[in-house]
Amino acid sequence: MAKLILSMDGLVLKDIPITKERVTIGRKPHNDIQIDNLAISGEHAAIITLINDSFLEDLNSTNGTFVNGQPVKKHFLQNGDVIELGKYGLKYLSEAAQQTAAADFEKTMVLRPDMMRRAVEQATPQPAADQPPPQAQQQPTTAMVRVLNGGNAGRELELTKTLTTLGKPHVQVAVIARRPQGYFITHVEGANLPVVSGQTLEANRPHALSDHDIIDIGGVKMEFLFKA
């Protein structure tokens, strides 16, 4: 079970176990974690936890949400991350955190649509009538990505989940969505945008993947393939 350590100006106030799938943080009393301070918005942020993974989302707060000193809108929480809200800090600790080379490459999450609606909507395409996705007519049942360089070269990952995240947290993260129309990749986190077969993605805009596309995320090159 993950937990948060609430502190103010370096003074630890209390430990807060994360026992719910959705935990809200804000100034108003109905929040799961209430911080009664004018610098905190009424509904400031939310933490969504699925199995052993937690996802932080800023709820359009007035003064913003920061993680390890950097402003964020959406953020995959890692063990030891510090969420900063005004003078308050919430240190995220996960008992299940295990850092491996494989985890640095990919992290697959099973997302419930009612809990991650915004992420799903961003990764859901709006196909144009005159430009259907390349694989719309004959889409194989599953696809995969194969790593082409680095320590994980040759590794293959089947895209069997509704959403699969690829990349390195705090550096560059993208989401591949498996939809009825095909497979689509969307940028999620990081200053640099992923590149697909030489084309830089547009921020928050899904891009249809074609067989043998080369995806470059944070310097890691992967080939997108349909399974035979």
Side-chain angles (χ1 to χ4, degrees), residues 54-188:
S54 294
F55 181 97
L56 172 70
E57 181 176 0
D58 179 79
L59 300 178
N60 296 317
S61 63
T62 301
N63 294 318
T65 300
F66 295 75
V67 175
N68 303 327
Q70 299 298 318
V72 300
K73 288 296 183 181
K74 297 178 182 178
H75 179 79
F76 294 102
L77 287 169
Q78 301 295 301
N79 187 50
D81 277 351
V82 177
I83 304 166
E84 299 163 2
L85 311 171
K87 295 182 179 180
Y88 291 83
L90 287 163
K91 187 172 184 178
Y92 175 79
L93 296 176
S94 173
E95 295 179 359
Q98 295 181 355
Q99 301 298 325
T100 63
D104 280 341
F105 158 62
E106 60 85 20
K107 185 180 185 182
T108 303
M109 301 172 65
V110 181
L111 306 180
R112 279 175 38 188
D114 60 328
M115 299 187 60
M116 289 292 199
R117 187 184 311 164
R118 293 185 185 179
V120 173
E121 287 175 350
Q122 279 192 350
T124 301
Q126 302 296 328
D130 60 344
Q131 191 175 5
Q135 66 272 27
Q137 294 182 352
Q138 295 181 340
Q139 180 192 339
T141 54
T142 57
M144 67 180 181
V145 290
R146 177 185 296 140
V147 186
L148 301 178
N149 65 346
N152 289 300
R155 186 182 175 197
E156 296 179 349
L157 172 68
E158 291 190 18
L159 304 175
T160 57
K161 306 299 183 182
T162 302
L163 291 179
T164 301
T165 60
L166 301 173
K168 295 182 180 180
H170 311 302
V171 179
Q172 193 173 21
V173 177
V175 171
I176 294 180
R178 185 174 186 256
R179 312 301 297 170
Q181 305 96 321
Y183 290 82
F184 294 78
I185 184 169
T186 306
H187 173 69
V188 172

